[in-house]
Each structure stands twice: as C-alpha cells, then as structure tokens.
Amino acid sequence: MKIFEGRYQNSFMNLSISKKIILLMALFTVMLALSWSTLLVYLNNQFLKSENMAFLQESLGKAKKEMVRECHTTQAIANYYVMMPEIQRLVQMGNQYQPAYINSRILKAASQNPAFIGLAFYNKTGDVIDYISLDVAFDPINQTEISGRPFERLMDGECEYIWEYIDHTDQLYMKNERSDRLCLWHVICDIVSAQPIGVVAISLDSQELLFSEGKNKERNGLIMLDSRGKMAMGNDALAEMGDLQRKMLLQCAQRGADYTTISIGKRSYYAISSDIPDVPLTLYALSLIQNDQLNMVILPLNFIISSVLFFLLLFPIYYLLSRIITQPLMQLHRSIQQFSAGNFDANIHFKYNDEIGQLGRAFNNMVKENKRLIDQSYALKLRQKEAELNALQAQINPHFLYNLI
C-alpha cells in the first residue's frame, strides 16, 4: 500500500502545476457532482415518502370509515334482533328446550351484509338454539364449556355486546370451522323483565370485510391483525408476511409510531396503523417502497448530467486559475533560466502583491544583490591589480635610477 501511494504520489507531484490544477479541479467536479446527485436522490426519496404517506393516510382513513360503517350496520341488525317478537319467542322456546328455528325474515336482516357468513342464537345455558352457516361450518360449541368467553360476560350483565375475532383454528365457535370470522356477540334481554335470556352471534367473514366483490381494488395494501399477530384480513400479495413482520407491525401500533418499514420477501413497504373502535383488530395500510429501483436509474443519470453541467459552469474558473497561477510562474521560470545563462540584468515585474508577486520581487532583489556583489568583486579585483602594478613600478624605479648613475 505504501509503495502504491508513494508511486502515484511521486507521479502526481512530478506533474506540472497546470496539470495538477486540472486534475484537482476534475476531482473536485466529480465530488461536487456526486454530492449533488446524492442530495437530489435524498430529496426525491423524501418526496416519494411524503407521497406514500399521504396515499397511506387516505387509504387507511377510507378503509377505517368503511369498517366502522360495517360494524355499526351489524350492531344495528343485532339491536333489531333483540326487539323482534320472533327472536323473543325463539329464545324463550330455546330456554325451555323446545324446537325453534330461524325463519327467512330473521335471516334476511343479517344477510344484507356481503361479508355475512353465520348466525347463531344461544339460550341462557350456552347451548345453540339454531344456527345458519353459509361457509358450511358445523358442530357448534356450548359457550359455557370454555372459560373467558364473551357469552359469560354478556349473561353477567357486564356489557351489551362484544366484538371477537375467531381464527378458524381456534375452535371457539364451531368444532369444524371453515373461515376466519369477526363475530358480534349481543345479549338478548326479556322485554318485560329486562333480564338476559340468551345471546345472538352474527359472524362476518374477515377476509371479505374490505375485499368483497365491488370493493375498491386500490385497497390491496390493507391488512388486519389481531392482538396475537394473526392476519384477520389480507390479500395474496402480502401472504408471504411472516411472524417477525407481524410482530413489528404490532409493536409499531403499540408504540403509536407514525409509520414503520418492513420487508416481505424481496420487497420493502411503508406501513401505518389505526385501531378500530370496539373491534379487537388493528387495521394496517402498506405501500411498496420503490426508492431502491428508482435510485439505480436516477443516481447514475444525475451523476452524469451533474458532472457535465458542473464542468461547463466551472470551466471559466479553471481557465482563470490557470492564467492567474501558471503564467506568472512560467514567466518567473524564464527569468531564472535567463539569469542562469548569464543574463545578470534579468528582471521580472508582477502587478499584484500576492505570494507569486512576493516571489518575483525576491527574485529581483536577488538579481540586484548578485549584480552588486559582482560589481563590488570586480572593483576590488581592479583595485588589487592597480595596487600590484603600483608596487611593481615602485620596485622598478630605484633600479632604473641606479643604473643610470
């Protein structure tokens, strides 16, 4: 690594200053274009995220409104049943263990909901008086055989109705379940004594609550989970969701977070949640994150375009820097060469008082000082020669006079 660094460092340092400036400016352009492209990608991701969140909020709001409407409709049907004379007679006969059956008038009220799949009436001991299952579920379970059932709370007068989600594997409603159901349990009170005499259970297919025929197809990103993380409603596109993803969604809803990000298969989704009043289910809206796919196209394209634009915009700056720095240095280089060739009158003039100008003045001072020293040395040599001649002349003159005498 050190050999690599030293080799390229020496190669770079041996380049001319103009080439160094070009290389450094090119590197600066690349870094600037990369930073700008990254910023554009980040802003694009934020914009897409805000668009996704707006879509999710709208989709979740509409779905929740429809769920609440369906729940209110089912509750209205249950309230209607409680007051029907036929229902009063049916339950009274059931408490006396006399045969009683659901007639077409009773069934018509419940079947108005497209998600309706079952109707059952229980006497006060928890036995089924009569039931109808559109999903062919059968073998009803006595509701007093299992503790903690809504039936007990209703008969004890704790509340008038309870919503319950029943997974088809739970065996809480029928021993042979066929569908996941959202069940409304409603107490039936005697009109005269106002005492609980039975319970009605109206079942809705949870998978058909928002996905029945004629519903908005844009809601393919909606799911509902119960408190255990079981999917009460969802479509095939989200069938790969595992226990970990469901746990993350539940934790997000419990924390009250604005949103969370989960991965299902090879795809990532934004998810937001909302509780449904009185219903033990949480509604989630999911939207596919497409940033990664877009970034693979946007980032290289932005980088290329930004590099070209920044190079064109910064080219005049490169040119000016080259003229400001390299031309004075080349002029100084020529003057030094002239001086080294013996031209002791070489001089250079720079207009500005920057570092290069100071270097030029230092060169001029050096030339002047060198010329002064040369002149001084030459004058000393002349005076020395003159002194030697005078001394020689002084020696010659006495001998000449002696010879004459």
Side-chain angles (χ1 to χ4, degrees):
M1 189 66 181
K2 292 183 178 179
I3 296 175
F4 177 82
E5 292 179 354
R7 181 186 302 172
Y8 285 93
Q9 182 177 0
N10 292 334
S11 299
F12 176 78
M13 296 305 296
N14 289 329
L15 294 175
S16 64
I17 293 180
S18 59
K19 292 182 179 178
K20 290 178 184 177
I21 292 176
I22 292 175
L23 287 177
L24 291 175
M25 289 301 177
L27 180 61
F28 173 74
T29 301
V30 171
M31 294 178 63
L32 187 61
L34 183 60
S35 300
W36 177 251
S37 301
T38 304
L39 177 62
L40 288 180
V41 169
Y42 171 77
L43 294 177
N44 180 69
N45 290 345
Q46 292 298 113
F47 173 77
L48 291 177
K49 180 180 177 181
S50 63
E51 289 290 314
N52 276 335
M53 290 301 160
F55 170 77
L56 287 176
Q57 292 289 352
E58 181 182 3
S59 178
L60 186 67
K62 290 181 179 179
K64 181 178 179 179
K65 184 177 181 180
E66 186 169 332
M67 275 293 302
V68 171
R69 182 183 60 81
E70 289 189 356
C71 291
H72 287 172
T73 301
T74 305
Q75 290 174 2
I77 294 173
N79 292 331
Y80 171 70
Y81 279 160
V82 170
M83 302 303 297
M84 285 184 65
E86 293 95 329
I87 301 297
Q88 290 284 323
R89 288 195 297 270
L90 183 145
V91 176
Q92 293 288 0
M93 293 175 65
N95 286 327
Q96 297 173 7
Y97 295 97
Q98 297 179 5
Y101 304 100
I102 299 173
N103 58 34
S104 59
R105 184 167 178 264
I106 297 174
L107 180 60
K108 182 179 179 180
S111 59
Q112 294 175 359
N113 191 328
F116 170 75
I117 58 171
L119 177 65
F121 291 94
Y122 296 85
N123 61 21
K124 59 184 178 181
T125 60
D127 292 322
V128 170
I129 302 172
D130 193 18
Y131 73 95
I132 293 177
S133 292
L134 301 184
D135 62 344
V136 202
F138 63 94
D139 200 359
I141 298 174
N142 184 292
Q143 293 301 305
T144 59
E145 294 179 356
I146 305 174
S147 62
R149 302 293 297 131
F151 179 87
E152 296 180 358
R153 297 175 56 190
L154 293 173
M155 294 302 294
D156 290 341
E158 295 182 14
C159 50
E160 291 184 359
Y161 66 89
I162 296 176
W163 282 99
E164 181 188 32
Y165 170 69
I166 303 176
D167 188 87
H168 69 279
T169 61
D170 291 338
Q171 291 188 346
L172 299 176
Y173 181 72
M174 299 281 181
K175 290 182 180 180
N176 293 278
E177 287 282 5
R178 294 292 186 269
S179 307
D180 299 335
R181 64 185 68 234
L182 182 63
C183 187
L184 173 63
W185 300 84
H186 199 293
V187 64
I188 301 175
C189 295
D190 185 87
I191 296 177
V192 179
S193 64
Q195 295 297 317
I197 58 175
V199 170
V200 58
I202 304 176
S203 300
L204 307 177
D205 188 344
S206 62
Q207 292 293 339
E208 294 295 326
L209 288 173
L210 295 175
F211 296 98
S212 59
E213 185 178 357
K215 297 292 177 66
N216 193 344
K217 295 182 179 180
E218 294 181 356
R219 297 181 181 179
N220 56 4
L222 294 171
I223 64 172
M224 280 196 298
L225 301 179
D226 69 352
S227 58
R228 300 167 295 179
K230 291 189 176 183
M231 185 178 293
M233 182 200 74
N235 61 353
D236 295 337
L238 302 175
E240 298 180 10
M241 181 181 295
D243 294 337
L244 179 60
Q245 290 83 0
R246 298 177 188 181
K247 184 177 180 181
M248 291 177 61
L249 290 177
L250 289 176
Q251 291 176 349
C252 175
Q254 292 170 359
R255 294 195 309 266
D258 295 335
Y259 75 97
T260 188
T261 304
I262 63 171
S263 297
I264 304 176
K266 296 182 179 180
R267 297 184 176 184
S268 297
Y269 295 83
Y270 289 123
I272 61 175
S273 63
S274 179
D275 293 329
I276 304 172
D278 297 330
V279 177
L281 296 174
T282 303
L283 183 63
Y284 298 87
L286 281 71
S287 177
L288 180 64
I289 302 175
Q290 299 178 343
N291 296 357
D292 295 338
Q293 300 175 0
L294 292 175
N295 290 344
M296 293 178 64
V297 178
I298 293 176
L299 184 58
L301 183 62
N302 281 342
F303 176 74
I304 295 173
I305 296 175
S306 301
S307 299
V308 174
L309 291 178
F310 281 125
F311 180 79
L312 294 176
L313 291 174
L314 296 176
F315 180 77
I317 300 177
Y318 302 162
Y319 179 74
L320 290 176
L321 285 175
S322 178
R323 289 182 59 87
I324 292 173
I325 297 176
T326 60
Q327 286 192 0
L329 290 177
M330 293 298 296
Q331 185 179 355
L332 180 61
H333 180 258
R334 288 193 295 268
S335 298
I336 293 175
Q337 286 182 329
Q338 292 175 5
F339 179 78
S340 64
N343 183 8
F344 300 130
D345 292 328
N347 199 354
I348 189 170
H349 177 68
F350 293 135
K351 296 181 181 180
Y352 305 107
N353 190 30
D354 56 5
E355 287 79 0
I356 299 179
Q358 294 174 8
L359 184 61
R361 282 189 292 274
F363 172 77
N364 292 337
N365 293 334
M366 182 191 71
V367 171
K368 290 178 182 179
E369 182 65 19
N370 188 72
K371 186 176 181 181
R372 186 186 67 79
L373 292 175
I374 291 175
D375 292 342
Q376 183 179 0
S377 176
Y378 182 73
L380 289 174
K381 287 182 179 181
L382 288 178
R383 285 196 293 271
Q384 184 179 1
K385 292 293 184 181
E386 184 179 354
E388 292 176 354
L389 290 174
N390 290 334
L392 181 61
Q393 185 177 5
Q395 293 177 0
I396 295 174
N397 288 337
H399 290 286
F400 180 75
L401 291 177
Y402 179 77
N403 292 331
L404 288 178
I405 294 175

